[in-house]
Structures are given as structure tokens and as C-alpha cells.
Short mmCIF file of all heavy atoms in Angstrom, two decimals:
data_model
loop_
_atom_site.label_atom_id
_atom_site.label_comp_id
_atom_site.label_asym_id
_atom_site.label_seq_id
_atom_site.Cartn_x
_atom_site.Cartn_y
_atom_site.Cartn_z
N LEU A 1 -41.46 39.22 -23.12
CA LEU A 1 -40.20 38.55 -22.90
C LEU A 1 -40.40 37.07 -22.61
O LEU A 1 -41.33 36.69 -21.90
CB LEU A 1 -39.45 39.18 -21.72
CG LEU A 1 -38.64 40.44 -21.98
CD1 LEU A 1 -38.10 40.99 -20.68
CD2 LEU A 1 -37.51 40.18 -22.96
N ASP A 2 -39.55 36.24 -23.19
CA ASP A 2 -39.59 34.78 -22.94
C ASP A 2 -38.16 34.29 -22.89
O ASP A 2 -37.56 33.98 -23.90
CB ASP A 2 -40.37 34.07 -24.04
CG ASP A 2 -40.50 32.58 -23.76
OD1 ASP A 2 -40.21 32.16 -22.63
OD2 ASP A 2 -40.89 31.82 -24.69
N LYS A 3 -37.62 34.26 -21.65
CA LYS A 3 -36.21 33.88 -21.42
C LYS A 3 -35.28 34.79 -22.22
O LYS A 3 -35.24 35.97 -21.99
CB LYS A 3 -35.99 32.39 -21.77
CG LYS A 3 -36.77 31.45 -20.87
CD LYS A 3 -36.51 30.00 -21.25
CE LYS A 3 -37.28 29.08 -20.34
NZ LYS A 3 -37.14 27.65 -20.67
N ASN A 4 -34.56 34.27 -23.22
CA ASN A 4 -33.60 35.08 -23.97
C ASN A 4 -34.16 35.51 -25.32
O ASN A 4 -33.41 35.87 -26.21
CB ASN A 4 -32.32 34.26 -24.21
CG ASN A 4 -31.61 33.95 -22.92
OD1 ASN A 4 -31.57 34.79 -22.01
ND2 ASN A 4 -31.03 32.77 -22.82
N THR A 5 -35.47 35.49 -25.46
CA THR A 5 -36.09 35.94 -26.70
C THR A 5 -37.21 36.93 -26.42
O THR A 5 -37.71 37.03 -25.29
CB THR A 5 -36.69 34.73 -27.47
OG1 THR A 5 -37.72 34.13 -26.66
CG2 THR A 5 -35.65 33.67 -27.79
N VAL A 6 -37.58 37.67 -27.46
CA VAL A 6 -38.75 38.57 -27.39
C VAL A 6 -39.76 38.05 -28.39
O VAL A 6 -39.42 37.70 -29.53
CB VAL A 6 -38.36 40.03 -27.68
CG1 VAL A 6 -37.66 40.19 -29.01
CG2 VAL A 6 -39.59 40.94 -27.61
N VAL A 7 -41.02 37.91 -27.95
CA VAL A 7 -42.08 37.40 -28.79
C VAL A 7 -42.98 38.57 -29.21
O VAL A 7 -43.72 39.11 -28.36
CB VAL A 7 -42.92 36.31 -28.09
CG1 VAL A 7 -44.00 35.78 -29.01
CG2 VAL A 7 -42.02 35.18 -27.61
N PHE A 8 -42.89 38.96 -30.47
CA PHE A 8 -43.76 39.99 -31.00
C PHE A 8 -45.04 39.33 -31.50
O PHE A 8 -44.98 38.26 -32.12
CB PHE A 8 -43.11 40.74 -32.17
CG PHE A 8 -41.87 41.53 -31.80
CD1 PHE A 8 -40.60 41.03 -32.01
CD2 PHE A 8 -42.01 42.78 -31.22
CE1 PHE A 8 -39.47 41.75 -31.67
CE2 PHE A 8 -40.90 43.52 -30.87
CZ PHE A 8 -39.62 43.01 -31.09
N SER A 9 -46.19 39.96 -31.24
CA SER A 9 -47.47 39.40 -31.73
C SER A 9 -48.31 40.51 -32.32
O SER A 9 -48.31 41.64 -31.83
CB SER A 9 -48.22 38.69 -30.61
OG SER A 9 -48.53 39.60 -29.58
N VAL A 10 -49.00 40.16 -33.41
CA VAL A 10 -49.95 41.10 -34.08
C VAL A 10 -51.29 40.37 -34.13
O VAL A 10 -51.43 39.37 -34.82
CB VAL A 10 -49.45 41.46 -35.50
CG1 VAL A 10 -50.48 42.37 -36.17
CG2 VAL A 10 -48.10 42.14 -35.43
N THR A 11 -52.26 40.91 -33.37
CA THR A 11 -53.58 40.27 -33.28
C THR A 11 -54.63 41.17 -33.95
O THR A 11 -54.63 42.37 -33.75
CB THR A 11 -53.98 40.08 -31.79
OG1 THR A 11 -52.96 39.32 -31.15
CG2 THR A 11 -55.32 39.35 -31.67
N ASP A 12 -55.48 40.53 -34.78
CA ASP A 12 -56.54 41.30 -35.45
C ASP A 12 -57.88 40.66 -35.19
O ASP A 12 -57.97 39.51 -34.72
CB ASP A 12 -56.24 41.40 -36.97
CG ASP A 12 -56.25 40.04 -37.67
OD1 ASP A 12 -57.30 39.35 -37.62
OD2 ASP A 12 -55.22 39.66 -38.26
N THR A 13 -58.94 41.41 -35.54
CA THR A 13 -60.30 40.88 -35.41
C THR A 13 -60.91 40.71 -36.81
O THR A 13 -62.09 40.98 -37.01
CB THR A 13 -61.17 41.88 -34.58
OG1 THR A 13 -61.10 43.17 -35.20
CG2 THR A 13 -60.65 41.97 -33.17
N GLY A 14 -60.06 40.25 -37.73
CA GLY A 14 -60.47 40.16 -39.10
C GLY A 14 -61.18 38.86 -39.45
O GLY A 14 -61.77 38.20 -38.61
N ILE A 15 -60.99 38.47 -40.72
CA ILE A 15 -61.76 37.32 -41.27
C ILE A 15 -61.18 35.99 -40.84
O ILE A 15 -61.83 34.96 -40.97
CB ILE A 15 -61.84 37.41 -42.81
CG1 ILE A 15 -60.42 37.37 -43.40
CG2 ILE A 15 -62.57 38.67 -43.24
CD1 ILE A 15 -60.40 37.29 -44.92
N GLY A 16 -59.95 35.98 -40.31
CA GLY A 16 -59.33 34.73 -39.89
C GLY A 16 -58.92 33.85 -41.05
O GLY A 16 -59.12 34.19 -42.24
N ILE A 17 -58.34 32.71 -40.71
CA ILE A 17 -57.82 31.78 -41.71
C ILE A 17 -58.29 30.37 -41.38
O ILE A 17 -58.22 29.95 -40.23
CB ILE A 17 -56.26 31.82 -41.76
CG1 ILE A 17 -55.79 33.25 -42.04
CG2 ILE A 17 -55.71 30.87 -42.81
CD1 ILE A 17 -54.31 33.44 -41.82
N ALA A 18 -58.77 29.67 -42.37
CA ALA A 18 -59.23 28.29 -42.16
C ALA A 18 -58.03 27.40 -41.80
O ALA A 18 -56.92 27.64 -42.26
CB ALA A 18 -59.92 27.77 -43.41
N PRO A 19 -58.26 26.34 -40.97
CA PRO A 19 -57.14 25.47 -40.56
C PRO A 19 -56.36 24.87 -41.73
O PRO A 19 -55.13 24.77 -41.66
CB PRO A 19 -57.84 24.37 -39.75
CG PRO A 19 -59.09 25.00 -39.26
CD PRO A 19 -59.53 25.96 -40.32
N GLU A 20 -57.04 24.52 -42.81
CA GLU A 20 -56.34 23.90 -43.96
C GLU A 20 -55.48 24.88 -44.72
O GLU A 20 -54.64 24.47 -45.54
CB GLU A 20 -57.36 23.23 -44.91
CG GLU A 20 -58.37 24.18 -45.55
CD GLU A 20 -59.63 24.36 -44.71
OE1 GLU A 20 -59.63 23.98 -43.53
OE2 GLU A 20 -60.62 24.83 -45.29
N ASP A 21 -55.67 26.19 -44.49
CA ASP A 21 -54.89 27.19 -45.21
C ASP A 21 -53.74 27.77 -44.40
O ASP A 21 -52.97 28.58 -44.92
CB ASP A 21 -55.81 28.35 -45.65
CG ASP A 21 -56.83 27.91 -46.72
OD1 ASP A 21 -56.46 27.06 -47.53
OD2 ASP A 21 -57.97 28.41 -46.68
N ILE A 22 -53.62 27.37 -43.14
CA ILE A 22 -52.63 28.00 -42.25
C ILE A 22 -51.20 27.78 -42.76
O ILE A 22 -50.38 28.70 -42.79
CB ILE A 22 -52.79 27.50 -40.81
CG1 ILE A 22 -54.02 28.18 -40.18
CG2 ILE A 22 -51.55 27.79 -39.98
CD1 ILE A 22 -54.31 27.76 -38.76
N GLU A 23 -50.87 26.57 -43.20
CA GLU A 23 -49.52 26.32 -43.72
C GLU A 23 -49.33 26.86 -45.12
O GLU A 23 -48.24 27.29 -45.48
CB GLU A 23 -49.20 24.80 -43.68
CG GLU A 23 -48.79 24.29 -42.31
CD GLU A 23 -47.57 25.03 -41.75
OE1 GLU A 23 -46.61 25.27 -42.48
OE2 GLU A 23 -47.60 25.39 -40.55
N ARG A 24 -50.40 26.90 -45.90
CA ARG A 24 -50.31 27.36 -47.29
C ARG A 24 -49.90 28.82 -47.39
O ARG A 24 -49.28 29.23 -48.36
CB ARG A 24 -51.63 27.13 -48.01
CG ARG A 24 -51.98 25.68 -48.26
CD ARG A 24 -53.29 25.53 -49.02
NE ARG A 24 -53.22 26.14 -50.36
CZ ARG A 24 -53.98 27.13 -50.76
NH1 ARG A 24 -54.88 27.67 -49.96
NH2 ARG A 24 -53.84 27.62 -51.99
N ILE A 25 -50.33 29.63 -46.40
CA ILE A 25 -50.06 31.09 -46.50
C ILE A 25 -48.58 31.41 -46.45
O ILE A 25 -48.15 32.50 -46.81
CB ILE A 25 -50.84 31.88 -45.44
CG1 ILE A 25 -50.37 31.46 -44.04
CG2 ILE A 25 -52.32 31.74 -45.59
CD1 ILE A 25 -50.92 32.31 -42.93
N PHE A 26 -47.76 30.44 -45.97
CA PHE A 26 -46.31 30.67 -45.93
C PHE A 26 -45.60 30.17 -47.19
O PHE A 26 -44.39 30.19 -47.25
CB PHE A 26 -45.71 30.01 -44.69
CG PHE A 26 -46.10 30.69 -43.40
CD1 PHE A 26 -47.07 30.14 -42.57
CD2 PHE A 26 -45.52 31.88 -43.03
CE1 PHE A 26 -47.43 30.76 -41.39
CE2 PHE A 26 -45.90 32.51 -41.87
CZ PHE A 26 -46.83 31.97 -41.04
N GLU A 27 -46.39 29.73 -48.17
CA GLU A 27 -45.83 29.34 -49.46
C GLU A 27 -45.80 30.57 -50.38
O GLU A 27 -46.66 31.46 -50.29
CB GLU A 27 -46.65 28.22 -50.11
CG GLU A 27 -46.65 26.94 -49.30
CD GLU A 27 -47.56 25.86 -49.91
OE1 GLU A 27 -47.96 26.04 -51.08
OE2 GLU A 27 -47.89 24.88 -49.22
N GLU A 28 -44.82 30.58 -51.25
CA GLU A 28 -44.63 31.75 -52.13
C GLU A 28 -45.81 31.87 -53.11
O GLU A 28 -46.27 30.87 -53.69
CB GLU A 28 -43.31 31.62 -52.90
CG GLU A 28 -42.11 31.66 -51.95
CD GLU A 28 -40.83 31.25 -52.65
OE1 GLU A 28 -40.80 31.29 -53.90
OE2 GLU A 28 -39.86 30.90 -51.97
N PHE A 29 -46.29 33.10 -53.30
CA PHE A 29 -47.32 33.49 -54.26
C PHE A 29 -48.70 32.90 -53.91
O PHE A 29 -49.58 32.89 -54.75
CB PHE A 29 -46.94 33.06 -55.69
CG PHE A 29 -45.63 33.63 -56.17
CD1 PHE A 29 -44.52 32.83 -56.28
CD2 PHE A 29 -45.52 34.98 -56.49
CE1 PHE A 29 -43.32 33.35 -56.71
CE2 PHE A 29 -44.33 35.51 -56.90
CZ PHE A 29 -43.20 34.69 -57.02
N ILE A 30 -48.87 32.42 -52.69
CA ILE A 30 -50.16 31.87 -52.28
C ILE A 30 -50.97 32.94 -51.57
O ILE A 30 -50.49 33.60 -50.64
CB ILE A 30 -49.98 30.65 -51.35
CG1 ILE A 30 -49.34 29.50 -52.10
CG2 ILE A 30 -51.33 30.21 -50.77
CD1 ILE A 30 -50.15 28.95 -53.23
N GLN A 31 -52.22 33.13 -52.02
CA GLN A 31 -53.14 34.02 -51.38
C GLN A 31 -54.46 33.31 -51.16
O GLN A 31 -54.98 32.66 -52.09
CB GLN A 31 -53.35 35.30 -52.23
CG GLN A 31 -52.15 36.20 -52.28
CD GLN A 31 -52.41 37.47 -53.09
OE1 GLN A 31 -52.92 37.40 -54.21
NE2 GLN A 31 -52.07 38.61 -52.53
N VAL A 32 -55.00 33.38 -49.95
CA VAL A 32 -56.22 32.65 -49.59
C VAL A 32 -57.42 33.41 -50.18
O VAL A 32 -57.54 34.64 -50.04
CB VAL A 32 -56.35 32.52 -48.08
CG1 VAL A 32 -57.66 31.81 -47.73
CG2 VAL A 32 -55.17 31.76 -47.51
N ASN A 33 -58.30 32.67 -50.81
CA ASN A 33 -59.49 33.31 -51.38
C ASN A 33 -60.46 33.78 -50.28
O ASN A 33 -60.69 33.08 -49.29
CB ASN A 33 -60.25 32.30 -52.29
CG ASN A 33 -59.46 31.98 -53.56
OD1 ASN A 33 -58.76 32.88 -54.07
ND2 ASN A 33 -59.53 30.75 -54.03
N SER A 34 -60.97 34.98 -50.46
CA SER A 34 -61.95 35.53 -49.51
C SER A 34 -62.75 36.62 -50.22
O SER A 34 -62.42 37.05 -51.35
CB SER A 34 -61.23 36.11 -48.30
OG SER A 34 -60.53 37.32 -48.65
N HIS A 35 -63.81 37.12 -49.55
CA HIS A 35 -64.64 38.13 -50.18
C HIS A 35 -63.92 39.49 -50.23
O HIS A 35 -64.36 40.40 -50.92
CB HIS A 35 -65.96 38.27 -49.41
CG HIS A 35 -65.78 38.78 -48.00
ND1 HIS A 35 -65.41 37.95 -46.95
CD2 HIS A 35 -65.93 40.04 -47.47
CE1 HIS A 35 -65.32 38.66 -45.85
NE2 HIS A 35 -65.64 39.95 -46.12
N LEU A 36 -62.79 39.60 -49.52
CA LEU A 36 -62.00 40.85 -49.53
C LEU A 36 -60.92 40.82 -50.60
O LEU A 36 -60.22 41.84 -50.78
CB LEU A 36 -61.36 41.11 -48.17
CG LEU A 36 -62.30 41.31 -46.98
CD1 LEU A 36 -61.50 41.45 -45.71
CD2 LEU A 36 -63.17 42.52 -47.20
N GLN A 37 -60.75 39.68 -51.29
CA GLN A 37 -59.61 39.51 -52.19
C GLN A 37 -59.61 40.55 -53.30
O GLN A 37 -58.55 41.03 -53.71
CB GLN A 37 -59.65 38.10 -52.81
CG GLN A 37 -58.30 37.66 -53.38
CD GLN A 37 -57.25 37.51 -52.30
OE1 GLN A 37 -57.49 36.96 -51.26
NE2 GLN A 37 -56.09 38.08 -52.54
N LYS A 38 -60.78 40.92 -53.83
CA LYS A 38 -60.84 41.86 -54.95
C LYS A 38 -60.49 43.27 -54.46
O LYS A 38 -59.96 44.07 -55.24
CB LYS A 38 -62.22 41.85 -55.57
CG LYS A 38 -62.54 40.56 -56.30
CD LYS A 38 -63.92 40.59 -56.94
CE LYS A 38 -64.23 39.30 -57.68
NZ LYS A 38 -65.57 39.34 -58.28
N ARG A 39 -60.80 43.57 -53.20
CA ARG A 39 -60.57 44.94 -52.72
C ARG A 39 -59.11 45.14 -52.32
O ARG A 39 -58.58 46.23 -52.50
CB ARG A 39 -61.46 45.20 -51.50
CG ARG A 39 -61.32 46.58 -50.90
CD ARG A 39 -62.43 46.90 -49.91
NE ARG A 39 -62.39 46.02 -48.74
CZ ARG A 39 -61.63 46.26 -47.68
NH1 ARG A 39 -60.83 47.30 -47.64
NH2 ARG A 39 -61.68 45.42 -46.64
N VAL A 40 -58.45 44.09 -51.75
CA VAL A 40 -57.07 44.24 -51.31
C VAL A 40 -56.15 43.52 -52.29
O VAL A 40 -56.50 42.51 -52.86
CB VAL A 40 -56.88 43.67 -49.89
CG1 VAL A 40 -57.72 44.46 -48.91
CG2 VAL A 40 -57.24 42.18 -49.82
N LYS A 41 -54.98 44.10 -52.48
CA LYS A 41 -54.01 43.54 -53.40
C LYS A 41 -52.77 43.13 -52.61
O LYS A 41 -52.42 43.73 -51.60
CB LYS A 41 -53.63 44.56 -54.48
CG LYS A 41 -54.78 45.03 -55.33
CD LYS A 41 -55.35 43.93 -56.20
CE LYS A 41 -56.49 44.41 -57.08
NZ LYS A 41 -57.08 43.31 -57.87
#
């Protein structure tokens, strides 16, 4: 709870995201290259 809002959070221990890619992932059809890219669609 934060005043009149609820803050949901999802935390993982995965591969993470580089600082330069943080804003890009919210662009349409953008997927960050990684060694898991071929395995996950």
C-alpha cells in the first residue's frame, strides 16, 4: 500500500536488462537480444 494506490511488484533472479535497453523494452515489437532468445518466444 502507498497512500491511495497499491504497488504490485514482480521480482525475478533472471538475466536482467542492460541500462540502455530499459526504455526500449516498452516500445512495440522490441525484444532485447540474449542467449535465451532462441528458446523463448
Side-chain angles (χ1 to χ4, degrees):
L1 277 175
D2 183 13
K3 295 182 181 178
N4 295 323
T5 63
V6 55
V7 181
F8 295 100
S9 62
V10 177
T11 304
D12 63 59
T13 56
I15 60 175
I17 303 168
E20 62 271 15
D21 293 325
I22 284 179
E23 280 303 316
R24 291 181 62 240
I25 62 173
F26 290 103
E27 297 176 14
E28 297 168 18
F29 303 107
I30 295 296
Q31 290 181 311
V32 178
N33 291 326
S34 70
H35 65 280
L36 297 177
Q37 199 65 46
K38 292 182 180 180
R39 180 168 65 84
V40 297
K41 301 293 183 183

